[in-house]
Amino acid sequence: MSRVNCLWLAFLAFLPCVHLQPLANEVSLELVDWECRQVVGLFNWNKLREIVVEYADFESPLAMTEFTEAALVLQDPEARRTAFQECPIGAIFLASLNLGICLHRVMEEVTECEDVADFLMASMFRREIPLAVILTSSWPVRSPQKMVFLYERGSHNLSTFWHSLQHSPSLNCEDDEFFAGFLKDLNWAIGQGESLVGKLSKWLFAPKVQELEMDQLRQSNWEPPCRLGWIAIMILKASIGWHTEPRTFFTYAESLRPYLMLLSPWHFLGSSWFLSMLLPHVCQFHRTAFHLDFDQTELMAETHPSLASMLLGSPAMRQSAQAVLSHARPYVVRGEQRLLVYASYVWGEDYVRWLPAYVSRFHELGMHNLIMFCGDETAYEMCRRVEGSACVFLETKTGLHRYTIPLALMNMGVDAFVIDFDIYAFKNLTEKLIVELESYQETPEFLVGGSFGDACICNAFAYYRSTLAVRDFTRTLLAWLYQYPFPHGVTQKALSAFLGEEPMQKTTGSEPWVVKEEILVKQLPPVPRLKWSLLEPGVEFSSSRKLATSGWAGRQEDIVVYHFFHGGWLASESAVDANEPWDEFDIFYNLTCEDTVEACAARREARIRRLLEKSRLGDRRPPTNISCETLEVIDFTVTPSDEKGMDFTVTANSPSSENL
Ligand SMILES: *[C@@H]1O[C@H](CO)[C@@H](O)[C@H](O)[C@H]1NC(C)=O
Ligand SMILES: *[C@@H]1O[C@H](CO)[C@@H](O)[C@H](O)[C@H]1NC(C)=O
Ligand SMILES: *[C@@H]1O[C@H](CO)[C@@H](O)[C@H](O)[C@H]1NC(C)=O
Ligand SMILES: *[C@@H]1O[C@H](CO)[C@@H](O)[C@H](O)[C@H]1NC(C)=O
């Protein structure tokens, strides 16, 4: 109800509305087809999207005359509603275009364009669509909102309306020294083009801004001294968080919401704060694949799929089902026999060339129940060439496969051990897994790796027992991540936040497990409490010393699986490219060299021992209760680079173990 009261205030941008609702904390298990691949209605939305994406680089709505006809359909309120129901982001795109065309036509009488303007603002900011979904979907909503001509009209006084808006002393906060100074630099920086954040960091990190942020958090009815300027600062700070720390991003995105809900379209599009041009900075360089290969029901429905339905499902499901039928192996825990598969996923040429050796290593150790999920054609071809392999082809490359894969497998009634590609197995994992599961009073249903130097989890290895609780937990986690897209790293942070801090403890033996959870947002959706614990992070399931918090301790012969931690593995997900050499793959998986077989084997063994030794940190892992958040970002520089436009270099006090 309170939201309805807020709506009519939309044009009175300065009236605070105290009844704003917090972001819903229930997560919908529906994986919305935001890109509208499957939607035909007013338009064939998929076709329309594919075409507009090709024109995505146009500078103003004028260049988009191709789409005038489609945009004009949104003139009609009924059509607008239908469009939004069918394809919300497509409707936002068309409404932006329609508004651009309308504003271009009228010089002064912007009231003519008010209806579609309000529809646009309502669709974007008052409908519970997370900002990142709008900004990372492949619909190019940012292009038509860049209405440069509005600024030209204002600055040349061609339109009294835009001129007075852009020269309003109160909107421009002329009597506030700080904001007036920031506005001046903001205008200069916009004129200079990219790397806005770098040019404005003096303002964004000013003590004054930190004070205001604290006030905002502490006081419930707080009003910023300069509303539009404050929105601009929050947008830019959200964009810094987007590239560094999810928790920061989610905090800013949440704080921004009430402001955006009340923002007037004219202030958004044509004020001298350039808000519609700043907004796309938030999720720069990131595209989310709103498509997960498996169908909605294959992941989210709690049904026991019959063989027939598995064989009629999505291509990914059909192949997974075949792989399970031919490769799942029984294992016995406390007298109960169940089915187990290992699963890993891979794409990209730098990794794929090691795929045959990776699969062969599992086979060599007796684990023939490995299923490889292949994110590109080459990976799939390479996989199929290995004798006895099980390969599934995936069309999409997304970090969310970390959870779609175990879900699809669990839904078929199989337990899944999901393991990263940048690992090397030293021992028969199944044997170890059984020992682990039996060393607790009650059998855990979820086991996950841990971090050496702090009390965090590490999901390079995770065992999912197909129980109702684990399936429901994983579904909610996946749905949340789908609803709140974020670049690399967040899949693990979210898992940590969902799991909490109470792992099961072993009945006998070692130090108690201490785990600290990550905090992403204030409220997470409810999930079942799992019976979960850690895979021993000191030596058995350890990681190479690539981060301040990783490494291992003890004896090499006790290592079961070694995670050599290849940074940049999710390069396709992120703006940051970790330019590291690919050495470890060569050391572990290259069985050939320019010598005899025996000499090569000896050389390989020696190199492995040396490599392991470099990451060894004493005889045993010291107990730790250090939590896993990255510390405050102390330096943020933006450097121009080649074809991507620019790259972010971020220096933090302490690298987080999640910056994989
Ligand atoms: C510019 O526009 C303003 C209204 O914002 C008007 O009062 C003023 O006379 C105009 N100035 C010129 C030089 O046209
Ligand atoms: C691996 O361990 C499992 C469980 O103990 C056992 O059934 C299997 O035979 C082992 N494989 C090899 C090759 O040792
Ligand atoms: C393994 O090493 C040899 C010799 O250094 C090299 O020629 C070969 O390309 C490497 N194999 C792979 C898969 O990169
Ligand atoms: C962490 O451990 C230290 C030393 O045992 C203890 O003093 C401290 O209170 C603990 N901190 C937390 C947050 O549990």
Side-chain angles (χ1 to χ4, degrees):
M1 282 314 284
S2 57
R3 183 156 321 109
V4 178
N5 294 335
C6 294
L7 287 183
W8 69 272
L9 290 177
F11 291 99
L12 310 171
F14 295 107
L15 289 185
C17 182
V18 290
H19 301 296
L20 287 175
Q21 303 219 325
L23 263 189
N25 59 13
E26 295 283 337
V27 124
S28 152
L29 287 191
E30 196 190 340
L31 304 172
V32 180
D33 176 16
W34 292 113
E35 257 128 39
C36 313
R37 289 163 192 276
Q38 316 290 342
V39 189
V40 181
L42 274 185
F43 308 97
N44 178 335
W45 290 98
N46 192 51
K47 276 241 170 64
L48 181 66
R49 194 194 75 255
E50 282 173 2
I51 300 169
V52 299
V53 163
E54 285 205 17
Y55 286 79
D57 270 337
F58 28 99
E59 273 297 296
S60 87
L62 282 193
M64 295 188 242
T65 40
E66 290 276 330
F67 309 104
T68 308
E69 231 172 276
L72 289 182
V73 171
L74 292 222
Q75 208 64 21
D76 170 36
E78 193 54 43
R80 283 204 286 270
R81 270 194 292 278
T82 310
F84 188 83
Q85 265 163 19
E86 288 177 1
C87 181
I89 306 185
I92 290 171
F93 171 82
L94 287 181
S96 310
L97 199 52
N98 183 304
L99 180 58
I101 294 167
C102 182
L103 288 176
H104 194 265
R105 186 164 44 79
V106 302
M107 273 310 229
E108 299 292 341
E109 288 304 306
V110 293
T111 44
E112 271 190 45
C113 314
E114 221 163 54
D115 278 1
V116 73
D118 188 40
F119 170 79
L120 173 64
M121 300 305 276
S123 313
M124 288 216 295
F125 302 135
R126 290 174 234 142
R127 292 297 197 114
E128 308 259 333
I129 307 177
L131 201 55
V133 167
I134 299 176
L135 296 177
T136 66
S137 91
S138 60
W139 285 100
V141 289
R142 58 190 73 193
S143 303
Q145 288 175 6
K146 210 160 141 191
M147 300 182 196
V148 181
F149 63 91
L150 299 180
Y151 296 99
E152 282 160 5
R153 282 178 192 176
S155 59
H156 299 130
N157 215 355
L158 302 172
S159 147
T160 317
F161 181 80
W162 296 108
H163 184 268
S164 54
L165 190 86
Q166 288 159 23
H167 292 83
S168 154
S170 66
L171 287 183
N172 293 350
C173 306
E174 278 172 14
D175 54 6
D176 183 310
E177 202 181 317
F178 179 85
F179 281 99
F182 171 57
L183 179 61
K184 210 159 145 251
D185 271 14
L186 175 66
N187 277 261
W188 164 79
I190 294 256
Q192 298 273 308
E194 289 306 329
S195 74
L196 273 185
V197 168
K199 294 196 181 87
L200 296 170
S201 57
K202 151 179 134 191
W203 300 97
L204 301 175
F205 295 106
K208 159 111 177 169
V209 167
Q210 279 163 32
E211 275 164 37
L212 293 174
E213 281 170 355
M214 288 314 292
D215 291 346
Q216 172 171 263
L217 289 174
R218 282 201 210 102
Q219 301 164 23
S220 54
N221 279 331
W222 185 76
E223 267 301 303
C226 173
R227 201 176 175 99
L228 296 184
W230 188 240
I231 296 176
I233 285 184
M234 302 262 280
I235 288 175
L236 290 168
K237 295 211 91 165
S239 89
I240 297 170
W242 178 260
H243 287 284
T244 53
E245 178 63 52
R247 185 179 168 182
T248 319
F249 167 74
F250 288 120
T251 307
Y252 283 112
E254 224 173 292
S255 315
L256 255 176
R257 242 174 69 84
Y259 294 99
L260 295 177
M261 283 176 95
L262 294 175
L263 187 60
S264 128
W266 317 137
H267 296 165
F268 177 59
L269 294 165
S271 78
S272 42
W273 297 96
F274 294 99
L275 299 180
S276 72
M277 296 196 195
L278 294 186
L279 197 64
H281 273 265
V282 175
C283 306
Q284 227 165 357
F285 309 132
H286 190 79
R287 283 278 159 267
T288 303
F290 291 104
H291 171 45
L292 300 174
D293 284 274
F294 301 98
D295 293 346
Q296 158 85 27
T297 49
E298 291 166 353
L299 296 172
M300 294 301 175
E302 180 62 27
T303 52
H304 293 285
S306 64
L307 204 54
S309 74
M310 285 191 289
L311 297 176
L312 290 173
S314 66
M317 193 64 187
R318 289 202 302 267
Q319 288 190 4
S320 303
Q322 275 164 13
V324 162
L325 286 174
S326 55
H327 283 73
R329 292 285 181 274
Y331 72 125
V332 180
V333 181
R334 289 205 171 106
E336 186 193 348
Q337 179 173 303
R338 302 175 61 91
L339 287 175
L340 178 71
V341 294
Y342 293 94
S344 187
Y345 56 106
V346 64
W347 59 76
E349 57 179 340
D350 285 323
Y351 301 98
V352 164
R353 62 199 171 105
W354 304 111
L355 194 150
Y358 182 93
V359 177
S360 301
R361 179 61 188 167
F362 272 73
H363 291 178
E364 196 183 347
L365 293 172
M367 298 177 281
H368 294 275
N369 48 341
L370 169 71
I371 304 179
M372 290 304 301
F373 291 81
C374 305
D376 57 37
E377 292 280 355
T378 327
Y380 186 61
E381 284 312 310
M382 290 284 252
C383 180
R384 295 199 348 145
R385 267 187 245 153
V386 183
E387 205 189 317
S389 63
C391 318
V392 175
F393 178 70
L394 297 175
E395 266 179 54
T396 54
K397 302 175 182 59
T398 159
L400 295 190
H401 283 318
R402 197 181 274 290
Y403 304 120
T404 63
I405 291 168
L407 249 184
L409 295 169
M410 283 192 288
N411 286 348
M412 288 185 268
V414 205
D415 301 342
F417 196 113
V418 181
I419 192 160
D420 276 5
F421 192 70
D422 53 350
I423 58 98
Y424 185 78
F426 282 95
K427 294 184 184 176
N428 182 344
L429 262 165
T430 313
E431 213 171 281
K432 179 66 199 166
L433 178 65
I434 295 168
V435 172
E436 280 303 300
L437 292 170
E438 291 182 345
S439 64
Y440 293 85
Q441 194 150 23
E442 252 191 294
T443 312
E445 50 195 347
F446 184 73
L447 292 174
V448 66
S451 169
F452 184 87
D454 58 24
C456 303
I457 60 159
C458 164
N459 66 357
F461 341 89
Y463 162 78
Y464 297 76
R465 191 173 169 89
S466 179
T467 64
L468 180 59
V470 180
R471 290 191 298 270
D472 275 348
F473 177 96
T474 313
R475 282 179 192 128
T476 311
L477 175 62
L478 175 68
W480 189 88
L481 284 162
Y482 188 87
Q483 210 160 311
Y484 296 94
F486 196 84
H488 70 307
V490 83
T491 53
Q492 172 168 298
K493 285 169 191 281
L495 173 61
S496 165
F498 276 68
L499 273 179
E501 303 194 333
E502 287 166 27
M504 296 169 79
Q505 301 295 340
K506 292 198 180 190
T507 38
T508 53
S510 52
E511 292 278 341
W513 302 133
V514 178
V515 174
K516 295 287 173 189
E517 67 190 334
E518 303 253 8
I519 299 162
L520 284 181
V521 284
K522 276 197 220 105
Q523 298 230 290
L524 284 172
V527 282
R529 289 166 69 90
L530 298 187
K531 288 182 277 179
W532 68 280
S533 198
L534 291 186
L535 294 161
E536 198 278 314
V539 57
E540 290 175 345
F541 292 83
S542 53
S543 291
S544 110
R545 189 164 170 66
K546 286 278 175 76
L547 305 172
T549 53
S550 57
W552 65 278
R555 304 182 314 160
Q556 290 192 359
E557 28 318 1
D558 291 334
I559 300 178
V560 179
V561 191
Y562 191 68
H563 175 216
F564 49 80
F565 232 123
H566 215 293
W569 153 219
L570 287 177
S572 61
E573 286 270 294
S574 119
V576 185
D577 203 48
N579 280 321
E580 290 175 49
W582 311 95
D583 259 349
E584 297 93 339
F585 276 108
D586 195 71
I587 291 173
F588 283 112
Y589 288 115
N590 195 338
L591 305 175
T592 61
C593 74
E594 285 118 27
D595 213 327
T596 63
V597 175
E598 294 76 16
C600 286
R603 173 179 176 268
R604 179 169 163 270
E605 179 141 329
R607 286 174 84 200
I608 290 177
R609 298 211 160 273
R610 270 207 309 279
L611 182 82
L612 292 176
E613 213 46 42
K614 278 202 295 191
S615 286
R616 186 171 176 275
L617 295 163
D619 295 330
R620 55 193 288 275
R621 175 181 184 247
T624 167
N625 62 5
I626 300 174
S627 61
C628 23
E629 296 135 35
T630 3
L631 297 181
E632 245 188 3
V633 175
I634 50 168
D635 178 29
F636 184 80
T637 50
V638 184
T639 46
S641 89
D642 46 297
E643 81 284 337
K644 269 190 217 151
M646 64 182 201
D647 259 333
F648 281 87
T649 318
V650 178
T651 322
N653 272 343
S654 135
S656 119
S657 52
E658 283 67 58
N659 273 349
L660 217 190

